[in-house]
Amino acid sequence: MQTVAHGQVLARFGHALSDPTRARLLLALRDAPGYPAELADLLGVTRQNLSNHLSCLRGCGLVVAVPEGRRTRYELADSRLRHALGDLLGLVLAVDAAACPDSETQGCC
């Protein structure tokens, strides 16, 4: 396991948030720790899909798996992530669609 700082932390956080399912998963874990089956139902995705996203978030260092007997609970790796996500939710963005005319086809915004 390696420790990353500053720019790499932001890049990993940005990568995690770049996918709508991972963003929703982080928000769900912001509210409370969860178990894969319950999180899959909450997000309306398959367990396999959720497992892939949890693996990505664990790899980015944003989520940890906590064994509980035969089950595994997932939670944010650091309580400061809860605060950071809350701060991001409080932002109001002035979106200029003309600045990225291919946004619908290229997915840039």
Side-chain angles (χ1 to χ4, degrees), residues 33-39 41 47 65-74:
Y35 300 93
E38 296 164 1
L39 291 166
D41 290 344
R47 290 183 188 186
V66 180
E68 288 185 345
R70 293 175 39 177
R71 298 177 73 188
T72 301
R73 184 183 77 238
Y74 287 85

Side-chain angles (χ1 to χ4, degrees), residues 88-94:
L88 287 172
L89 289 174
L91 290 175
V92 176
L93 303 177

Side-chain angles (χ1 to χ4, degrees), residues 2 6 24 29 41 56 63 66 70 74 88 91 95-96:
Q2 73 182 55
H6 304 295
R24 291 175 40 227
L29 294 174
D41 290 344
C56 177
V63 168
V66 180
R70 293 175 39 177
Y74 287 85
L88 287 172
L91 290 175
V95 178
D96 182 2

Side-chain angles (χ1 to χ4, degrees), residues 11-54:
R12 288 171 184 268
F13 197 52
H15 174 72
L17 293 175
S18 70
D19 180 89
T21 300
R22 284 194 303 268
R24 291 175 40 227
L25 180 52
L26 284 171
L27 291 175
L29 294 174
R30 174 184 176 258
D31 293 338
Y35 300 93
E38 296 164 1
L39 291 166
D41 290 344
L42 177 69
L43 299 178
V45 298
T46 66
R47 290 183 188 186
Q48 180 61 48
N49 186 272
L50 183 87
S51 176
N52 292 339
H53 288 296
L54 283 170

Side-chain angles (χ1 to χ4, degrees), residues 13 26-34 62 74-89:
F13 197 52
L26 284 171
L27 291 175
L29 294 174
R30 174 184 176 258
D31 293 338
L62 300 174
Y74 287 85
E75 58 189 45
L76 296 177
D78 189 308
S79 62
R80 291 174 289 189
L81 288 168
R82 180 174 288 103
H83 183 50
L85 288 164
D87 286 348
L88 287 172
L89 289 174

